[in-house]
Amino acid sequence: MKKFLLFLFILVGAPALAQQQLSDEELDFIARIYELEDGDDEEAFYQAEQEYMDYLAEKKDWARFYNVWLNKVVYQINNDHFYRSYTEIGRITDDIQQRGMSQYAYIPHQGLGLYYVKRGHHQMGERYFMKALQAIDTVNNKLAQANIYFLLTLALSNTDPDRALAYLDSLPVSSDNVRAQSGALSYRCLIHFERGDMEAFDDSYRQYDSLLTLHPDYVGSTNYNNVMVYRCLRQGDYEGALAWCDSLGAETSASHQRTTVYAYMGDWQRAYREVLRRDSIDQAKRNEVLEEDIEGLVHDIEVLEMEKERSRSRVKNIAILALATMILLALLVAVLIYRHRKHRELIHQYKLLEESRQQTRAAQAIRRAFVMSMDDRLKSPVNVLRGYARIFNNPNFTLTDAQNDKSYPDIVAAAKSVEALIAPVLASYMHETDDVDGRRQRLYEGALRSPLNALIGMAEMIAEDKDHLIAPDELMQMRKEIASCASQVAEATHEFLFFSVTDADTTFPMTDSVGLNELAQSTLGDYGLRNLSLQKQFTTSVADDVVILTSQRPFQTIINCLLSNADKHGSGTSIDVSCRQEADGTYTVAVANEGSLPADVDDEQLFLPFWRIDNSQPGMGLGLPLARKLARCLGYDVERDRSVDHGICFVVKGIA
C-alpha cells in the first residue's frame, strides 16, 4: 500500500511539473522531497515540505501549495500515522475555508479517501473519492481527475473488481502519458488474475509487456513485481513466482503473495504458516497504530485541559480539537459495534470447526487458526479496556464531562464485545480438553465472567447517571474498581488465548534481533502495575550492546507473565527485573519480588495450569504455566531460583 500510494501521487504530479517552467530553486525543493519520501528521517521530510509550502505561499501558488500539503498527509498515511493524518486533513480543510479557496475542496476529500482505504474501510474511501471527483474541475484538471480514478480502482479492486475495471475504463489517460498507461495496464493484470479471467490477463499482460519494452523507465516497480508473480503462476513457474515475491519491498505484501503461490502449489502447510506469519505482522502493526492513536488522544486531552486553564479566549480552538477527538473515538466505537454484530457468524464458523476436530489432526490446526482469528478481533476491545484501566488507575487524571459521557459507553461496548467473543474460544478449549472439571469453570467465572459483569454494571450505572447523583468519592471508588476489572479482564483474556493456541509443537520465527537490556527494560517500563505501592527497578550486568536473536512478542509475554505474578503476590516495596550472563555463555532474565510461598508448595505445582496459591487473587492460574510453555517453544526455560535468600524469584534461562 505504501509504495502504491506514493506511485499514484508522483504519477500525476510529475507530468504536471514537467509542463510548467520551474525555477532551479523549486526543482531543488521537489528533488529533496522525493529523496526523503521513502526514507526514515521524518523530521527532515516534514521540514522540506514546510519550506516548500512557505515558498509556494509567498508566491501565492495555491494549487501546488495544497497538493504539497496533501503529499504530507499521504506520507503520514503510508507510515500508519493515522491520528496525525486525520488531524492534518482537518487543518487543510480549515485553511481552504479561511482563505476562501473552495476550488480546492476536492483535496481534503481525496485525503480522507486515502485515509479510509488504508484503514480497510473501502466503501468510505470510495465515497470520499467520488466527492472529490464531483468537486474537481474536470475540464482544466485532467491529471488530478486521472489520479482520483486510479484511487477509485484501488478502493474497489478487492471488494468489487468489476466496478474497479469500469473506473479504469473511464480513466482519462492521454497517449503520451506512458506512466499512467503502464499503471492502468498493471492494475488490469492484477484484477483479471484475481477474478480468474486468464484470457483477459494474458491480453493485458501482452500490452503491458510491450509498453514496458518500449519505455522501461516508466515501470512502477511494486506493481511490476506483483504482475510478474501472477505471470509466473500463469506459466506454472512456482520458483520464479516465489523469487518475485521476495523482491516486494513491503513484508505484508510479500507474505500475501507467497500464500497465493503456496496455495497454487498445493503446499497448504507452508501456506498456513505464511498466513500465521502475516497475521502476526499485521497485528503488531495494528497494535502500534492503536497505541499511537491512544497516546495522541491522551496528549490532546492534556493540552486541552492546560489551555483551558490558561486562557478562556482559546475555547473555540479547544472545542475543535475535542470534536476531532470525539470523531476518532466514534470511528473506534463503530468498529467495535461492527465486530459485535459479526460475532454470530464467527460462532457459526466455530461450530463448523468443532464438527471436524475429531476427524483429522488438521482440524486441530484449523481450531488454532480460529482462536487466532478471535484473538485478532479481541485485540481492539481488550486494548480499549487496558487503555482506560491505565487512565482510570491514575488518581491525578481528570476527564471533562464530554469525555466522561463518551468513555463509559466505550468501556461497556468493549466489555460486551470481549464477553461475546471469548465465549466460543473457551467452549472450544473445554470441548477439546478431556480433564476439564468444575474447578476450571469456576476459575473462568472468577477471572472473566464476574469482573466483566461488574465492569459492565458499574460503567452502565455511571453512564446513565445524567443528573450526577453519584457522590464524588463513590464515583472515584467505582472508577478504581472499573480500572481493576478492566485490567483483570485484559490480562486473563490475553493469557488464556495465548495458552490455548500454544503447545509443545508450536514454533515461533526467531527473526527479531534486539538488545537484551533494551527489551527487558522496555517491557518492564510498559507494564502497568495494579499494586501502585510497588516500584519497578531494573539492573543488569550485561553490556548494552549484547543483541539476541529471538521472537519478540512471545519473549515479552513471558516477562509480562512473571511481572503479573509478582504484581499479584508480591509484598514489600518493589518488583526487580535483572539481566546477567551465565558461565556457559547464555543469558538469564530474572523477575523478583519480596514475599514468601507456603512451605508445602512444590515448585512444579506453581507451573500447573489452572492451579493458584491464593484463590482470593484474580486470574485463571495460567501466568506461570504460559511463561514456561512459551519459553520452551523458544528454546529457553522458566524456573524458580531457590538461591535467592529474600523474596521470590523466577528466571528465564538459556537465552542465547
Side-chain angles (χ1 to χ4, degrees):
M1 179 71 76
K2 175 179 178 180
K3 295 294 184 184
F4 186 72
L5 291 179
L6 287 173
F7 167 72
L8 283 175
F9 196 71
I10 296 172
L11 172 69
V12 175
L17 295 173
Q19 296 172 5
Q20 302 179 36
Q21 295 298 324
L22 302 179
S23 65
D24 291 340
E25 182 180 9
E26 193 161 359
L27 290 173
D28 288 340
F29 278 127
I30 296 169
R32 185 183 176 198
I33 289 172
Y34 279 14
E35 179 183 353
L36 294 169
E37 206 156 23
D38 281 332
D40 297 325
D41 193 342
E42 291 189 0
E43 184 176 351
F45 172 79
Y46 290 141
Q47 182 178 352
E49 282 268 311
Q50 190 60 51
E51 290 174 359
Y52 189 24
M53 288 172 62
D54 292 342
Y55 173 86
L56 294 172
E58 185 177 351
K59 293 182 63 178
K60 300 189 182 302
D61 188 345
W62 302 116
R64 274 185 288 167
F65 174 83
Y66 287 117
N67 274 285
V68 172
W69 200 344
L70 178 62
N71 193 46
K72 181 178 180 181
V73 172
V74 173
Y75 179 85
Q76 292 170 336
I77 292 173
N78 290 342
N79 288 279
D80 295 335
H81 299 318
F82 294 115
Y83 184 78
R84 296 187 206 170
S85 64
Y86 192 88
T87 55
E88 199 72 42
I89 292 168
R91 295 188 186 102
I92 296 175
T93 302
D94 292 341
D95 193 85
I96 289 173
Q97 292 176 349
Q98 291 171 7
R99 297 182 192 272
M101 299 288 181
S102 59
Q103 66 270 34
Y104 302 117
Y106 73 92
I107 288 180
H109 290 321
Q110 191 173 347
L112 284 171
L114 292 169
Y115 171 86
Y116 283 114
V117 168
K118 186 65 186 292
R119 301 217 72 168
H121 304 298
H122 297 278
Q123 289 183 343
M124 290 291 290
E126 180 191 8
R127 180 183 303 173
Y128 279 101
F129 290 147
M130 290 303 296
K131 285 186 176 181
L133 199 60
Q134 293 166 3
I136 200 171
D137 180 0
T138 57
V139 175
N140 298 316
N141 205 345
K142 294 288 187 184
L143 293 173
Q145 181 188 16
N147 192 21
I148 295 174
Y149 274 112
F150 266 109
L151 293 173
L152 283 166
T153 302
L154 169 66
L156 295 172
S157 58
N158 291 325
T159 58
D160 195 341
D162 292 334
R163 291 176 62 203
L165 286 174
Y167 281 124
L168 279 179
D169 294 337
S170 303
L171 186 66
V173 178
S174 61
S175 59
D176 60 343
N177 194 338
V178 179
R179 190 180 298 274
Q181 290 182 54
S182 69
L185 285 172
S186 67
Y187 237 75
R188 287 184 186 278
C189 291
L190 299 176
I191 294 174
H192 286 318
F193 191 92
E194 292 289 346
R195 296 172 68 212
D197 190 346
M198 296 307 168
E199 183 177 347
F201 171 81
D202 292 339
D203 181 63
S204 295
Y205 177 78
R206 282 192 295 271
Q207 297 179 55
Y208 184 56
D209 185 58
S210 175
L211 183 66
L212 296 185
T213 301
L214 295 174
H215 306 281
D217 294 335
Y218 289 90
V219 62
S221 60
T222 300
N223 283 359
Y224 178 73
N225 293 341
N226 279 296
V227 170
M228 292 309 298
V229 171
Y230 290 157
R231 175 64 175 168
C232 290
L233 287 179
R234 175 73 172 132
Q235 296 176 331
D237 181 7
Y238 299 129
E239 292 301 323
L242 288 173
W244 282 108
C245 290
D246 294 338
S247 67
L248 289 169
E251 185 59 28
T252 302
S253 299
S255 178
H256 173 79
Q257 291 293 55
R258 289 192 198 100
T259 304
T260 302
V261 175
Y262 292 143
Y264 265 78
M265 295 170 63
D267 191 343
W268 301 109
Q269 185 176 12
R270 283 204 287 178
Y272 174 72
R273 286 201 301 266
E274 199 65 38
V275 169
L276 292 183
R277 181 168 173 268
R278 186 175 71 251
D279 288 346
S280 177
I281 295 172
D282 289 342
Q283 188 57 52
K285 289 183 178 179
R286 283 193 290 271
N287 286 343
E288 291 175 0
V289 169
L290 184 58
E291 288 176 2
E292 182 175 305
D293 285 349
I294 291 177
E295 289 175 1
L297 289 173
V298 172
H299 175 265
D300 281 351
I301 291 171
E302 292 174 347
V303 169
L304 290 174
E305 290 293 332
M306 288 188 296
E307 290 187 351
K308 183 178 178 181
E309 293 175 359
R310 291 174 183 174
S311 174
R312 291 186 175 274
S313 64
R314 301 183 63 189
V315 170
K316 183 178 179 180
N317 291 335
I318 293 175
I320 294 173
L321 289 176
L323 179 61
T325 302
M326 292 176 65
I327 290 173
L328 188 56
L329 286 173
L331 291 174
L332 295 175
V333 171
V335 172
L336 294 176
I337 293 173
Y338 173 79
R339 291 184 176 181
H340 179 70
R341 291 176 179 175
K342 288 292 184 180
H343 82 280
R344 292 185 181 276
E345 179 183 346
L346 296 175
I347 292 174
H348 176 67
Q349 293 174 356
Y350 156 71
K351 290 180 179 178
L352 294 178
L353 296 176
E354 183 67 18
E355 291 174 0
S356 64
R357 185 188 63 82
Q358 297 295 337
Q359 297 178 6
T360 60
R361 291 188 63 186
Q364 294 181 350
I366 295 175
R367 191 198 73 83
R368 291 190 184 94
F370 165 74
V371 175
M372 296 208 52
S373 173
M374 299 296 282
D375 179 39
D376 179 65
R377 289 165 174 78
L378 277 162
K379 284 296 185 298
S380 181
V382 167
N383 282 335
V384 169
L385 293 180
R386 185 179 285 115
Y388 277 115
R390 289 181 177 178
I391 292 174
F392 285 178
N393 211 23
N394 182 353
N396 297 321
F397 193 90
T398 59
L399 296 174
T400 65
D401 291 340
Q403 293 156 1
N404 268 320
D405 291 342
K406 190 63 183 168
S407 61
Y408 294 105
D410 282 352
I411 293 171
V412 172
K416 289 184 177 180
S417 182
V418 170
E419 183 179 36
L421 292 172
I422 196 65
V425 182
L426 183 76
S428 168
Y429 180 80
M430 289 188 170
H431 186 77
E432 185 179 86
T433 307
D434 296 333
D435 59 347
V436 173
D437 54 23
R439 180 173 61 86
R440 297 192 182 184
Q441 182 66 31
R442 289 191 297 273
L443 282 174
Y444 161 68
E445 294 289 339
L448 285 174
R449 178 69 66 185
S450 296
L452 273 172
N453 288 340
L455 177 65
I456 293 170
M458 285 187 289
E460 286 181 338
M461 184 182 300
I462 297 175
E464 293 171 0
D465 184 27
K466 303 300 183 182
D467 297 326
H468 305 291
L469 300 177
I470 301 176
D473 56 345
E474 183 180 354
L475 181 62
M476 290 301 296
Q477 184 60 36
M478 292 175 72
R479 263 184 43 166
K480 291 179 181 179
E481 291 296 328
I482 289 174
S484 176
C485 291
S487 178
Q488 180 180 340
V489 168
E491 179 182 302
T493 301
H494 175 72
E495 288 183 355
F496 176 72
L497 288 173
F498 225 139
F499 186 85
S500 65
V501 297
T502 306
D503 55 34
D505 298 328
T506 302
T507 58
F508 297 100
M510 306 288 278
T511 56
D512 298 324
S513 295
V514 293
L516 178 61
N517 287 340
E518 179 185 359
L519 183 58
Q521 190 170 11
S522 64
T523 304
L524 174 63
D526 291 339
Y527 179 79
L529 287 168
R530 289 186 299 274
N531 185 352
L532 298 180
S533 64
L534 297 175
Q535 299 293 323
K536 296 184 286 189
Q537 296 185 3
F538 176 78
T539 59
T540 183
S541 59
V542 178
D544 286 339
D545 59 356
V546 170
V547 175
I548 62 171
L549 189 64
T550 187
S551 186
Q552 185 166 338
R553 187 187 177 206
F555 192 103
Q556 290 176 314
T557 300
I558 294 168
I559 299 177
N560 276 323
C561 287
L562 300 182
L563 289 171
S564 176
N565 182 72
D567 191 8
K568 292 176 187 174
H569 304 292
S571 59
T573 60
S574 66
I575 294 177
D576 301 306
V577 175
S578 60
C579 301
R580 67 175 183 269
Q581 186 174 18
E582 304 296 337
D584 60 0
T586 63
Y587 299 96
T588 295
V589 176
V591 178
N593 60 274
E594 299 177 34
S596 60
L597 291 173
D600 58 345
V601 174
D602 181 77
D603 284 356
E604 290 306 308
Q605 278 185 291
L606 301 173
F607 296 97
L608 293 176
F610 304 102
W611 186 88
R612 298 189 299 174
I613 298 173
D614 184 357
N615 290 329
S616 65
Q617 291 289 341
M620 299 181 71
L622 292 177
L624 291 177
L626 175 59
R628 172 172 281 185
K629 182 185 286 189
L630 291 175
R632 290 179 175 176
C633 289
L634 295 174
Y636 314 146
D637 204 354
V638 172
E639 62 182 30
R640 181 185 175 191
D641 186 357
R642 283 196 169 271
S643 65
V644 175
D645 296 330
H646 181 64
I648 306 169
C649 180
F650 291 94
V651 297
V652 187
K653 57 186 298 186
I655 304 169

